[in-house]
Amino acid sequence: MSEASARLVLLDGVALLHPEDSVFEAMLEGWARQQRGGRRLQAKTVQGRLNVVRRFGEFTDGYPWQWSAADVDEWMTYLTAELKRAPSTIRSYQAALRLFCDYTTSPHYQWPAECEARFGTHPVQVCHEWNTAAHLVDYEGEPERRPMTRDEIQVLLDHADAQVERAIRLGRKGALAAYRDATVFKVIYGWGLRCSEASKLEVTDFYRNAKAPGLGRFGSLHVRFGKRTKGSPPRRRTVLSVMPWAVEAVEDYLVNIRPRYAAASERPSVWLTERGGRLQVREIEDRFASYRDALGLDEELVPHCLRHSHVTHQIEDGADPAFVQRQVGHRYPSTTAIYTGVSGDFMNTMMRKVLDRALDSGQ
């Protein structure tokens, strides 16, 4: 018998002072055990799902054996119209509620019989295809998070390099940090990384690619902390180096700049701070924002836009979308498509090629 079953979560023969509340809590505890034990989900994921179910219970002012599909309809309307929740958030709530109902309606866990004996009714599945949203795409990003243009990237990187020269010329502290941060931006764009992936890079993550001997030991990059899916560990992937200029930049940093940090010989992190720690995501974002604002670029631009730009520019330059998808670690082609925001010039060029082919075939 599973330790998540009603008989093991509730104590036999014990009179409950508040039976409805006690049984609901026992259901949640049993479901948590099922997820932690049999499914090996992380505690944070389990707790998040429990919170969703509790919020739904508070919204209905009822218990699982009293819930109906109509309650879900009303909750979805409230979340969408009043709280303005994003579609991806709505789907995650629906998924949590559906899984909880699967658990409470399963005869294996004995909750239907337990509720029938105590309350004269039993839980039912309240999430159905016709009252929940289908998960059609892997990513639904904010529309204003656009790729940066090539000119914007060039201006940003030039400005970052200029800060290094300025600090050296004025004899100020911070030249090392400015050099480091300029290289961070080049690596994020050059390999299409997320900020968190870049932050956690270690020196040994770069290694040779037999198919690209000219890039030395920087032909490939092992990303060890890719974006995790709910309940799963970070996803690893190998990113092949496709921008030689970015390889030159990171090689120069690792050979000539990083060794100047006091902790360089003791710490494996690529990006070190003056105190010997690892450069954090927030520090990357803050430096990017200061450069962006100094240049008068759009306020909605963030470091993640460099990743969008990598995808877009690779597609524009003729890379196979399936290759780009694997490079950046997208599970679905639809996600890569959303990341891609090709320029007007590119679209005009493609249109011209299509028209030329059509006219040639008509002759």
Side-chain angles (χ1 to χ4, degrees), residues 27 70 218:
M27 285 178 167
F218 298 93

Side-chain angles (χ1 to χ4, degrees), residues 121-189:
T121 185
H122 57 81
V124 298
Q125 177 58 265
V126 296
C127 293
H128 307 279
E129 291 185 4
W130 42 267
N131 70 344
T132 57
H135 192 165
L136 299 179
V137 297
D138 180 48
Y139 171 79
E140 290 178 330
E142 299 175 26
E144 65 271 17
R145 290 290 172 83
R146 62 172 177 81
M148 299 175 68
T149 67
R150 295 176 193 264
D151 286 343
E152 287 174 330
I153 290 177
Q154 191 62 59
V155 167
L156 175 75
L157 297 183
D158 287 347
H159 181 76
D161 288 339
Q163 302 317 298
V164 181
E165 299 173 5
R166 183 171 183 272
I168 294 174
R169 185 176 68 254
L170 298 177
R172 294 179 178 177
K173 289 182 60 178
L176 285 181
Y179 205 116
R180 174 202 64 201
D181 294 343
T183 312
V184 169
F185 299 146
K186 294 170 186 175
V187 168
I188 291 175
Y189 173 61

